[in-house]
Amino acid sequence: MAPMTAAGEQMYALVERLYPLCRSITGDGVRATLEIVDEYVPLQVHEVPTGTQVLDWTVPQEWNIRDAYVADTAGHRVVDFAASSLHVLGYSVPVSATMPLAELRGHLHTLPDHPGWVPYRTSYYKPEWGFCLAQETLDAMPDGDYEVRIDSTLADGHLTYAEHVVPGQVPDEVIVSSHVCHPSLANDNLAGIAVAAFLARALAEQTPYYTYRFIFAPGTIGAITWLARNAERVERVKHGLVLACAGDPGRLTYKQSRRGDAEIDRVMRHVLPASERPHHITEFTPYGYDERQYCSPGFDLGVGSLSRTPYAGYPEYHTSADNLDLVSPEAMADTLALCREAFAVLDRNRRYVNLSPYGEPQLGRRGLYDALGGRSDTQQAQLAMLWVLNLSDGEHSLLDVAERSGLPFGAVAAAADALHGAGLIKA
């Protein structure tokens, strides 16, 4: 099995393990998720107490749930949390009651346009309770009394998030962020968690230039908590990527940072077309995943977002149809491969200064032309050297050279390595 194919199968197996767990913005489901991810990449887990002020937000009470159901008079569970964690409105307060269907209907959520699907709904910051079920299930429920039970707790506890750091040659950081708060939704965002974990493993096999920090945190409140706790060192973050919806069959989609001209934006605009993959590049909007927290105006970090079909862009989004059949090893492997290609460019991009800027230095005397003899890409390699020499003025990066020359970034980087080795340029 080819390495990338093997990685795809392993990522899918990780998604399978995580899929049954009931996750939310706090609670034991998040901890159980991080314990499994820790088997793949060692994590530093952080627990932030309820009531902690994080920017304009406050860490909420911790929510945990043991069981929940709606049962008819015969004791049959018409809606059963044990069958799927989507069946309960996220953060539901506890309830134990018997009520007629007419009263219960106000607490039931369905998708009439997709009668066989169960929606994903939450009520994080408003005390509420409810159940999510298929419209066809509701249609089959006769009038009468139903036993309603949600065995949950809302109590002071903690918000949990985790980090994994791949050390680099410099302390400047690239952050890769995935949210870990969604329950049984395979594409959003278990595929993103899996791709992030295997990207971290791949980077650890190298000696990267940048330090790579992987953040596994609940959506919105988790990213805000991370930013609040790292405000004094956030200036180290030079680039970043939010990973979400990484396993569906759609084309790759890159959403640019708020800046629009951040280096990660330029890298993606270069790598995606060069890869000849079907893709789409969109402008920043302050809606979506945690890129909107990292790109909030006070921080304005160079963080973009990579997905396949973006949020709310596929019918199965936030429903029970976002299941293990929607994601594939091949799609996750493709997302991982694109991340590796993009980070290879980001990690290698430098600015150089030509140490012999007056006229063209004699490359043959230094053995640089001879070293290219017999190569099928001799002409391209020679041209790359000339372009690097000409634009090595301390102002242009290798990515600038690749874009202006139309040459592959790999050829430009190889030329820079050869010229640096010959003492003709310096970083």
Side-chain angles (χ1 to χ4, degrees), residues 35-238:
E35 286 176 6
I36 292 174
V37 175
D38 183 70
E39 297 176 20
Y40 293 79
V41 287
L43 298 178
Q44 180 182 8
V45 177
H46 304 271
E47 298 276 8
V48 185
T50 295
T52 302
Q53 189 72 25
V54 286
L55 305 181
D56 194 46
W57 295 58
T58 303
V59 172
Q61 288 189 312
E62 183 176 324
W63 183 69
N64 286 293
I65 183 167
R66 287 162 291 279
D67 193 15
Y69 59 87
V70 175
D72 60 22
T73 54
H76 171 66
R77 294 191 175 194
V78 181
V79 184
D80 191 356
F81 170 76
S84 171
S85 59
L86 293 177
H87 276 310
V88 173
L89 178 77
Y91 252 64
S92 281
V93 299
V95 61
S96 181
T98 299
M99 64 185 66
L101 180 59
E103 180 182 348
L104 179 58
R105 281 182 181 274
H107 297 276
L108 301 181
H109 305 270
T110 64
L111 292 167
D113 292 342
H114 296 283
W117 297 357
V118 177
Y120 164 54
R121 299 286 186 268
T122 63
S123 184
Y124 293 143
Y125 302 105
K126 178 183 178 182
E128 183 59 272
W129 65 267
F131 290 87
C132 300
L133 65 159
Q135 180 66 46
E136 60 190 23
T137 300
L138 177 59
D139 292 343
M141 292 172 64
D143 289 334
D145 287 343
Y146 288 86
E147 180 189 0
V148 179
R149 171 79 167 161
I150 297 179
D151 182 12
S152 65
T153 56
L154 271 166
D156 287 353
H158 297 83
L159 178 146
T160 310
Y161 72 92
E163 297 175 286
H164 172 80
V165 176
V166 179
Q169 300 172 37
V170 297
D172 292 345
E173 292 187 0
V174 179
I175 60 172
V176 180
S177 182
S178 295
H179 61 276
V180 295
C181 52
H182 286 17
S184 297
L185 301 173
N187 194 42
D188 177 24
N189 185 46
L190 297 181
I193 295 170
V195 171
F198 277 76
L199 179 59
R201 292 175 66 167
L203 289 168
E205 294 173 356
Q206 310 164 17
T207 305
Y209 178 73
Y210 289 110
T211 293
Y212 286 82
R213 183 176 300 274
F214 289 79
I215 302 168
F216 300 91
T220 304
I221 185 67
I224 286 171
T225 299
W226 186 88
L227 286 164
R229 289 165 60 91
N230 291 273
E232 293 181 358
R233 53 181 300 279
V234 79
E235 63 183 22
R236 295 185 190 176
V237 177
K238 304 304 179 185

Side-chain angles (χ1 to χ4, degrees), residues 10 23 53 71 97 137 156 164 191-192 197 207 214 217 253 303 306 316 345 349 369 383-384 390-391 393-394 400 403:
Q10 292 166 6
R23 281 165 292 273
Q53 189 72 25
T137 300
D156 287 353
H164 172 80
T207 305
F214 289 79
T253 300
V303 176
L306 181 68
E316 302 88 349
V345 173
N349 196 28
Y369 278 151
L383 188 57
N390 191 269
L391 293 181
D393 53 8
D400 291 323
E403 290 176 344

